[in-house]
Amino acid sequence: MPQTDPRRGLLIILSSPSGAGKSTLARRLMEWDPTLSFSVSATTRAPRNGEEDGVHYHFLSETEFKTKVIEGEMLEHAHVFGNFYGSPVGPVREAINDGCDVLFDIDWQGAQQIKTSALRDHVLSIFVLPPSIAELRRRLTSRGQDAEEVIQKRMQKSWDEISHWDGYDYVLINDDLEATFERLKTIVSAERLRQPQQPGLVNFVRGLQSEFDEAER
């Protein structure tokens, strides 16, 4: 069958408690499809050494950030440890109109804001669960990156995050990374074919109808 117009992109949201494997799955997904891009967040915090504006973050003053929120230019935003963070809507809208998927690594609160935004029809939300709480702690500990106090704080926060699992379109239990990644690819591939992602379908079906009418004459 002839191809319709290029598809629209997806806003792919990945959420999970720390240690469930979300970052690894996101990296694998981008290796699988290099056209995927991460959403570049905006923040009011000062740039750190080596960070570039527009590459690592869009660095804004607090006034600039709040103005963008008021004017509806942020898909989602939050106040964290004294600074504001958010996802500018402009670059995301441009990407999905160009048929490019955008990946978001955000928590359940950000996910809910995006799912009620003007771009909600193009959202694909996926929550990643650990196979057990014991395994979640083991993964956090085996990283060797955090002190025990930090690990304990992450563990305390994990249940609040897990409790919002039912607000997502799909839920994956990451008991085996390879199997979970295969399921993730299947979900993304299928969601790309949803009706809202194929703007050319209406005209294509009208063309079929015209052919049918011609044949019936």
Side-chain angles (χ1 to χ4, degrees), residues 51-187:
E51 290 184 334
E52 298 180 36
D53 184 45
V55 177
H56 299 91
Y57 283 95
H58 297 289
F59 294 101
L60 305 174
S61 68
E62 187 168 317
T63 299
E64 289 174 325
F65 191 100
K66 289 181 176 179
T67 298
K68 287 185 178 297
V69 171
I70 292 171
E71 294 178 350
E73 295 182 25
M74 289 290 175
L75 273 174
E76 56 85 26
H77 65 280
H79 189 251
V80 183
F81 300 125
N83 293 297
F84 288 96
Y85 294 83
S87 301
V89 67
V92 176
R93 181 182 287 113
E94 183 178 340
I96 65 172
N97 286 340
D98 289 341
C100 298
D101 301 329
V102 182
L103 194 57
F104 290 80
D105 179 351
I106 55 178
D107 65 12
W108 66 271
Q109 291 170 308
Q112 286 302 309
Q113 290 181 52
I114 291 179
K115 291 185 75 171
T116 57
S117 73
L119 300 180
R120 58 186 174 274
D121 289 343
H122 309 293
V123 172
L124 164 59
S125 63
I126 304 165
F127 196 88
V128 182
L129 287 170
S132 69
I133 298 302
E135 175 61 14
L136 185 66
R137 169 172 275 281
R138 188 198 68 76
R139 291 177 184 176
L140 288 174
T141 303
S142 64
R143 289 177 178 178
Q145 297 176 346
D146 300 316
E148 178 59 31
E149 180 182 352
V150 175
I151 292 174
Q152 189 57 36
K153 287 181 178 179
R154 292 186 187 279
M155 290 299 299
Q156 290 172 350
K157 186 181 178 184
S158 65
W159 180 248
D160 177 59
E161 295 169 327
I162 290 173
S163 68
H164 296 280
W165 66 273
D166 58 350
Y168 288 73
D169 300 320
Y170 296 88
V171 178
L172 297 174
I173 301 173
N174 188 19
D175 51 354
D176 178 275
L177 180 61
E178 291 301 325
T180 303
F181 180 55
E182 289 301 317
R183 292 194 290 270
L184 178 59
K185 288 193 297 183
T186 298
I187 291 169

